[in-house]
């Protein structure tokens, strides 16, 4: 596993970012939690309960800056939800953003987070 840049270490981050994808809203709070909530576009408000997609962070081995949130809410007829996060180097002027979130496998989500802290 690569050594994460100091700018990506938990003690240096207190950031939460969110994105809407389809009928859901996803929120990532660095090294703390990932959540999913339903979204009612017509009412512009949250519609369903919030589900944890993981709250136990660990860095993944390998050459890329990746980690996994585990210990999320149980899926119906499936495992506990988890989220694999890939950090990608981004332009500091553009800011930080979630550029991809999807359910890659049943109850296992993939999220790409673009940030200059990964450079």
């Amino acid at each position: 596993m690569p050594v994460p840049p100091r700018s990506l270490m938990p003690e240096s981050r207190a950031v939460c970012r969110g994105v809407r994808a389809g009928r859901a809203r996803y929120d990532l709070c660095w090294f703390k939690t990932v959540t999913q909530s339903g979204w009612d576009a017509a009412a512009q408000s949250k519609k369903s309960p919030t589900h944890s997609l993981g709250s136990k962070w660990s860095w993944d081995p390998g050459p890329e800056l990746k980690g996994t949130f585990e210990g999320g809410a149980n899926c119906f007829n499936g495992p506990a939800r988890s989220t694999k996060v890939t950090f990608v180097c981004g332009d500091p002027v553009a800011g930080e953003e979630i550029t991809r979130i999807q359910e890659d496998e049943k109850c296992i989500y993939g999220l790409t987070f673009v940030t200059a802290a990964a450079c």
Side-chain angles (χ1 to χ4, degrees):
M1 172 185 93
V3 175
R6 187 162 209 41
S7 56
L8 280 178
M9 298 309 288
E11 62 273 7
S12 65
R13 304 300 298 177
V15 175
C16 293
R17 295 287 184 260
V19 65
R20 280 191 277 173
R23 299 180 68 187
R25 176 174 175 83
Y26 297 88
D27 291 291
L28 165 70
C29 291
W30 284 54
F31 309 108
K32 293 183 181 175
T33 186
V34 178
T35 58
Q36 174 194 49
S37 56
W39 185 262
D40 182 346
Q44 291 292 304
S45 63
K46 289 185 177 183
K47 180 179 175 182
S48 66
T50 298
H51 299 286
S52 171
L53 302 184
S55 60
K56 296 174 189 164
W57 173 259
S58 63
W59 287 103
D60 293 347
E64 298 180 306
L65 289 173
K66 291 184 176 187
T68 302
F69 281 100
E70 295 181 314
N74 287 328
C75 268
F76 179 74
N77 288 332
R81 291 174 174 91
S82 64
T83 305
K84 297 177 184 228
V85 179
T86 301
F87 294 96
V88 176
C89 177
D91 180 355
V93 176
E96 300 175 326
E97 67 178 326
I98 297 169
T99 59
R100 183 186 78 88
I101 179 79
Q102 67 185 44
E103 191 172 8
D104 293 333
E105 299 174 43
K106 183 175 183 166
C107 307
I108 300 173
Y109 296 80
L111 183 149
T112 302
F113 192 79
V114 177
T115 175
C119 298

